[in-house]
Amino acid sequence: MPRILFALVVVLVVATVYTVVDCAMRENSRIRGLSKPVWLVVILLLPVAGLVLWYTIGRARGAAPQPRTPDDDPAFLGDLRRVSEQDERIRRLEEELAALDAETDLGHPDVFGPRDGKNSDDEPGSDSEPRR
């Protein structure tokens, strides 16, 4: 009898280790019911019941459904929306910059000074020190 009991304990420990690794390595999208850390605690604190619950409730069967085309993928569609919003923002900024450039006359002496490169404060014969 003790040999059978020892064998059952060994099987239970091996199954628990396998289940903990299975739960820890599984993607969050393929876990049902509880979050991954909670499942790990349930599996470790309730050895037999935790194993049964994990394999009946917590583990999603089959592969996680993957979208086949980009039109079916919400992440791809969200990225498209974000990219189009960024493109629209860049277009508006470029339009505003073009409007500002059109308003500002680069050759106007009141805005940028005379075009000949001389400062109106410079006097002939003075040492390029500003007047005080």
Side-chain angles (χ1 to χ4, degrees), residues 103-125:
E103 289 176 8
T104 306
D105 183 15
L106 294 178
H108 195 277
D110 291 341
V111 177
F112 294 103
R115 299 185 105 187
D116 59 2
K118 294 181 182 176
N119 192 348
S120 61
D121 291 339
D122 289 343
E123 296 176 9

Side-chain angles (χ1 to χ4, degrees), residues 54-66:
W54 169 249
Y55 287 109
T56 57
I57 298 172
R59 197 172 178 207
R61 287 168 178 68
Q66 299 292 327

Side-chain angles (χ1 to χ4, degrees), residues 58-120:
R59 197 172 178 207
R61 287 168 178 68
Q66 299 292 327
R68 291 186 287 173
T69 62
D71 293 343
D72 296 336
D73 188 4
F76 177 77
L77 295 175
D79 287 342
L80 282 180
R81 186 175 308 117
R82 188 185 66 205
V83 168
S84 65
E85 289 171 359
Q86 288 175 348
D87 289 343
E88 178 64 25
R89 183 174 175 219
I90 289 171
R91 186 189 60 76
R92 278 186 277 135
L93 287 173
E94 287 174 348
E95 287 176 359
E96 290 175 14
L97 286 174
L100 287 174
D101 284 343
E103 289 176 8
T104 306
D105 183 15
L106 294 178
H108 195 277
D110 291 341
V111 177
F112 294 103
R115 299 185 105 187
D116 59 2
K118 294 181 182 176
N119 192 348
S120 61

